[in-house]
Amino acid sequence: MNYIMISGHNEKHLSKINKINGYIMLNLEDGVPKEKKQIALENIINVLKNTNKKEIVIRINALEENGLDEILELNQFDFPIRIPKINSLKELDRVFDITKNEIHLSIETKESFFNLKSLKHPQITTFYLGILDLFDELKLNHNLINFDNQMIHKILIDFSLTCKYLDISPIGFVYQQYKDLDGFKKWCEIQKNYGFEGVGTITPAQLEIANKVFTPKNNEYAKIIVERFEKEGPFTIDGLYVDEPIYKNYKLQLT
């Protein structure tokens, strides 16, 4: 899932969401001035009432910063709700009481990152890596987020592997240097290779690149493998012995 962030107070951008090829992250949190939070919520509700687009997630404010009230307002819709600044599952008890919607979590505090396994719940389907907030919490300089730093690679790997263990979708970080498209593409490729299922974007150009990087390749070949295995069991093709694990992996590519 690749998504583009659109702030709820930006009516010009909101008017274009039906033309966007990818998920829309309708944003009430960071990027929306405090004095415009209410109008942003009203704009988003109006958009949701008048769109046929299904690929939408709503990013609310922290629960103690009007987030619970926003969930109550948004409960009339079935779209996933992304909640920021969560440290523990206990903090979500009230959320689970008031909504049955799919819940996504921003993993941006050190408590949430180092206790990912404790955040398992049937309504929680997706984790987003908030790398800049996490680095702030850990008192690490943002300059450490570079291709040569092994620590950032360890963070990405640990995050993705834990998500896979939990059967939760890992979504990569937003690359703020939006004019550096080569750098963005490289981070997309790295995160895809580590098992991430998409990234956040802030411009249409970034979204286009992310969609190309995360689009599954060799689907036709995967179909051949899956169909033949289901028909005749283990077989050999192009020097590859296809048994149960190989079949399952190719089938996964088709989902």
Side-chain angles (χ1 to χ4, degrees), residues 182-193:
D182 289 338
F184 174 72
K185 182 180 180 182
K186 187 172 180 180
W187 278 119
C188 284
E189 290 170 341
I190 288 171
Q191 290 177 95
K192 181 184 179 183
N193 285 338

Side-chain angles (χ1 to χ4, degrees), residues 234-246:
F235 66 96
T236 300
I237 183 172
D238 299 332
L240 172 68
Y241 178 65
V242 179
D243 57 3
E244 189 80 16
I246 299 294

